[in-house]
Amino acid sequence: MMSGTELARAIVDQAAHRAADYEKHTGRKPCLATVIVGDDPASVTYVRMKRNRCHRAGLDSRLVSLPEETTTEQLVAAITELSNDPEVHGILLQHPVPKHVDERAAFEAIAPDKDVDGVTMHSFAQMSFGEAGFTSCTPGGIMRLLDAYDVDPRGKHAVVIGRSPILGKPVAMLLLARDATVTICHSKTENLPDVVRTADIVVAAVGKPEFVRGDWIKPGAVVIDAGYNEGNVGDVAFDEAVGKASLITPVPGGVGPTTIAVLLEQTVDSAQRQLAAL
Amino acid sequence: MMSGTELARAIVDQAAHRAADYEKHTGRKPCLATVIVGDDPASVTYVRMKRNRCHRAGLDSRLVSLPEETTTEQLVAAITELSNDPEVHGILLQHPVPKHVDERAAFEAIAPDKDVDGVTMHSFAQMSFGEAGFTSCTPGGIMRLLDAYDVDPRGKHAVVIGRSPILGKPVAMLLLARDATVTICHSKTENLPDVVRTADIVVAAVGKPEFVRGDWIKPGAVVIDAGYNEGNVGDVAFDEAVGKASLITPVPGGVGPTTIAVLLEQTVDSAQRQLAAL
């Protein structure tokens, strides 16, 4: 069976092929602009990794690196400039931004047709209503994994642990659009282990290392670990859960690589759509 | 305890008071524009009822009645005109529109700051992300009922049956924002009665008369019947469920009246916001 890394490679290979096509027709490469505020080491690493992947796949990348003390207004202005720049096809604002910045306002400055990271309210509503548009990258990657593993969510009980605007909520909506019965759990959920025990599909998106224990997993369930905590540890206690689950994604090498793959793919999508709209 | 009708009256009384204030300051009344396409008798009745409620509460209403054969483009144009008209504070497109019309496109022609019925993708995302904005009226009415009955959703398991864009999905998001653990069920859900039996709060939004049976209800659960079917029948078999539930909303006289009350309230909100923005 295909690993997350292999699936991601297949997605990126296709995107690279289409990027080359795009370049042949236009003389330009699809371009992803990445905005980072401050110098959090993990964020700097992520951004570097994403840019490297862009280049290897034949995409251009533009880096906008802003100081820690950037205000919401300054960040919104920088993103708006990218939204209006015809040479930019996709915009990624690296999460998290410093606490004094209104992240939602910054996300909303991304033009919907360049929201290749799927973070705007517009993209969320599109995912929720089954309209064509960009998916949030990690939720999009999760759906691709399920497809690659022939897991049909229809009629299944999917339990999503976590309700963030770019992971828990959108993946819940994408699973619902594929006809799963969806339960959204979070820090205020009572008897969480019992709720998880009813799940045919578990999506762990909590951000706490090994939070989901093996005895929470119904035998035969599909376990998607979308966590990525310090020390390369997921949200699921893998060693405990692996014997119970019919299928479980590891960390690293599971959801992570597909996230970046979807980002690149959607950047190429955006470039091609822009071309088609001319 | 307050009935839905009494709660609705209290909401409308307050809205009427604020509408009178608005008129005193501006010489104009808050104005709701209602758009109806075709002459479906139930829709005509709803629209007449909503307009009557407007007038009784001291709001203006404007009726745009379009023939059955109206195209999507014509409907979008009519709604866009209302969106751009400074004398209109709220816009309601009566659901459903004829099958040949793209209802989503029509909804999206409503300016977000006049979406007092809470049907646009923008309003949905605002509800989902806890941003200030208009709620869909029935979901908003349901939350008001829960508040009036001192039902705190926090930590409770809420099961929503139905996933429509203006009822099931937004009420799920509003319950989630109030810290309920939320399960969204629908026609593809397996073992629906068993799922409903785990609910502390049941929201029935299916549109099928007496679909939810008494033996699906956990003793002590709160049952909100958002159905409204021919012959004034709800989605819940009331006579069966009333002995099991700690609280159940009847049809008629439960959710229905609060829906219109929230519509009027949000129209006054819109008028006041527009004034504040001048």
Side-chain angles (χ1 to χ4, degrees):
Chain A
M1 197 156 58
M2 223 184 228
S3 72
T5 310
E6 287 164 333
L7 171 63
R9 195 173 302 136
I11 297 171
V12 172
D13 281 351
Q14 260 215 334
H17 196 82
R18 290 165 52 218
D21 249 21
Y22 178 87
E23 193 180 358
K24 204 158 63 185
H25 278 82
T26 64
R28 295 189 302 144
K29 294 173 176 181
C31 174
L32 174 68
T34 305
V35 180
I36 181 169
V37 184
D39 47 13
D40 172 67
S43 293
V44 169
T45 302
Y46 285 134
V47 165
R48 188 187 308 125
M49 193 163 70
K50 289 169 187 169
R51 298 188 73 209
N52 285 341
R53 296 287 165 80
C54 273
H55 299 155
R56 268 193 273 158
L59 277 71
D60 256 345
S61 85
R62 188 189 298 185
L63 178 62
V64 177
S65 188
L66 300 169
E68 178 77 22
E69 60 271 20
T70 302
T71 64
T72 299
E73 291 66 32
Q74 289 167 331
L75 179 56
V76 164
I79 293 173
T80 304
E81 201 178 315
L82 297 170
S83 288
N84 294 330
D85 185 337
E87 297 194 358
V88 169
H89 302 109
I91 302 170
L92 168 92
L93 170 62
Q94 180 63 40
H95 168 87
V97 295
K99 284 207 191 333
H100 66 273
V101 172
D102 179 347
E103 184 171 75
R104 178 48 51 199
F107 280 155
E108 294 307 313
I110 299 172
D113 61 348
K114 298 186 181 181
D115 181 24
V116 295
D117 200 27
V119 296
T120 60
M121 289 165 62
H122 186 81
S123 293
F124 178 74
Q126 285 181 313
M127 285 181 270
S128 301
F129 290 173
E131 302 276 323
F134 296 116
T135 64
S136 306
C137 289
T138 301
I142 290 169
M143 300 312 288
R144 299 292 280 273
L145 277 166
L146 293 177
D147 284 340
Y149 295 149
D150 276 328
V151 177
D152 183 358
R154 182 172 165 138
K156 301 280 196 315
H157 186 200
V159 171
V160 176
I161 316 170
R163 54 173 163 173
S164 75
I166 53 173
L167 215 177
K169 279 175 184 159
V171 80
M173 285 298 154
L174 292 174
L175 286 162
L176 183 63
R178 293 285 298 278
D179 291 335
T181 300
V182 179
T183 298
I184 309 172
C185 301
H186 44 79
S187 56
K188 306 298 184 302
T189 293
E190 291 170 9
N191 307 317
L192 178 62
D194 284 339
V195 178
V196 177
R197 280 182 195 111
T198 67
D200 303 308
I201 300 171
V202 179
V203 178
V206 203
K208 291 184 185 167
E210 304 196 330
F211 178 75
V212 176
R213 313 308 310 190
D215 67 348
W216 300 15
I217 306 300
K218 181 166 80 174
V222 170
V223 179
I224 304 290
D225 189 345
Y228 191 77
N229 307 290
E230 231 172 297
N232 268 354
V233 179
D235 285 351
V236 180
F238 187 87
D239 291 345
E240 294 175 13
V242 70
K244 308 277 293 284
S246 64
L247 201 147
I248 181 168
T249 63
V251 174
V255 171
T258 63
T259 298
I260 300 189
V262 170
L263 175 70
L264 300 189
E265 183 180 56
Q266 295 195 137
T267 303
V268 179
D269 288 345
S270 174
Q272 291 193 321
R273 272 183 221 164
Q274 201 174 302
L275 201 61
L278 289 182
Chain B
M1 198 156 59
M2 222 185 228
S3 72
T5 310
E6 288 164 333
L7 171 62
R9 195 173 302 133
I11 296 172
V12 172
D13 281 350
Q14 260 215 335
H17 196 81
R18 289 165 53 218
D21 249 21
Y22 177 89
E23 192 179 359
K24 204 157 62 184
H25 278 82
T26 65
R28 296 187 302 144
K29 294 174 176 180
C31 174
L32 174 70
T34 305
V35 180
I36 181 170
V37 185
D39 47 13
D40 172 68
S43 293
V44 169
T45 303
Y46 285 134
V47 165
R48 187 185 309 123
M49 194 163 68
K50 288 168 188 170
R51 299 188 72 207
N52 285 342
R53 295 285 165 82
C54 273
H55 299 155
R56 269 193 272 157
L59 279 71
D60 256 346
S61 84
R62 189 189 299 185
L63 178 62
V64 177
S65 188
L66 300 169
E68 178 77 21
E69 59 274 18
T70 303
T71 64
T72 299
E73 292 65 36
Q74 289 167 332
L75 179 56
V76 164
I79 293 173
T80 303
E81 201 178 315
L82 297 170
S83 288
N84 294 330
D85 185 337
E87 297 195 359
V88 170
H89 302 110
I91 301 170
L92 168 92
L93 170 62
Q94 181 63 39
H95 169 87
V97 295
K99 282 205 192 339
H100 66 273
V101 172
D102 179 347
E103 185 173 74
R104 177 48 51 196
F107 279 155
E108 294 307 312
I110 300 173
D113 61 347
K114 297 185 181 182
D115 181 24
V116 296
D117 200 27
V119 297
T120 59
M121 289 165 62
H122 186 81
S123 292
F124 178 75
Q126 285 180 314
M127 286 181 270
S128 300
F129 290 173
E131 303 276 323
F134 296 116
T135 64
S136 306
C137 289
T138 302
I142 289 170
M143 299 313 288
R144 300 291 281 270
L145 277 165
L146 292 177
D147 284 339
Y149 295 149
D150 277 327
V151 177
D152 183 357
R154 182 172 166 139
K156 300 279 195 318
H157 186 200
V159 172
V160 176
I161 315 170
R163 54 172 165 173
S164 76
I166 53 175
L167 215 176
K169 279 174 184 160
V171 80
M173 286 297 153
L174 292 173
L175 286 162
L176 183 62
R178 293 284 298 278
D179 291 334
T181 299
V182 179
T183 298
I184 309 172
C185 300
H186 45 79
S187 56
K188 305 299 184 301
T189 293
E190 291 170 8
N191 307 317
L192 179 61
D194 284 339
V195 178
V196 176
R197 281 184 193 109
T198 66
D200 304 308
I201 301 171
V202 180
V203 178
V206 203
K208 291 183 184 168
E210 304 196 333
F211 178 76
V212 176
R213 311 308 310 190
D215 68 349
W216 300 14
I217 306 299
K218 180 167 82 173
V222 171
V223 178
I224 305 290
D225 190 346
Y228 191 79
N229 307 290
E230 230 172 296
N232 268 355
V233 180
D235 286 351
V236 180
F238 186 88
D239 291 343
E240 295 175 12
V242 70
K244 306 278 290 288
S246 64
L247 202 147
I248 181 169
T249 63
V251 175
V255 170
T258 63
T259 297
I260 299 189
V262 170
L263 176 69
L264 300 189
E265 183 181 56
Q266 294 195 138
T267 303
V268 179
D269 288 343
S270 174
Q272 291 193 320
R273 273 182 219 166
Q274 200 175 301
L275 201 60
L278 288 182

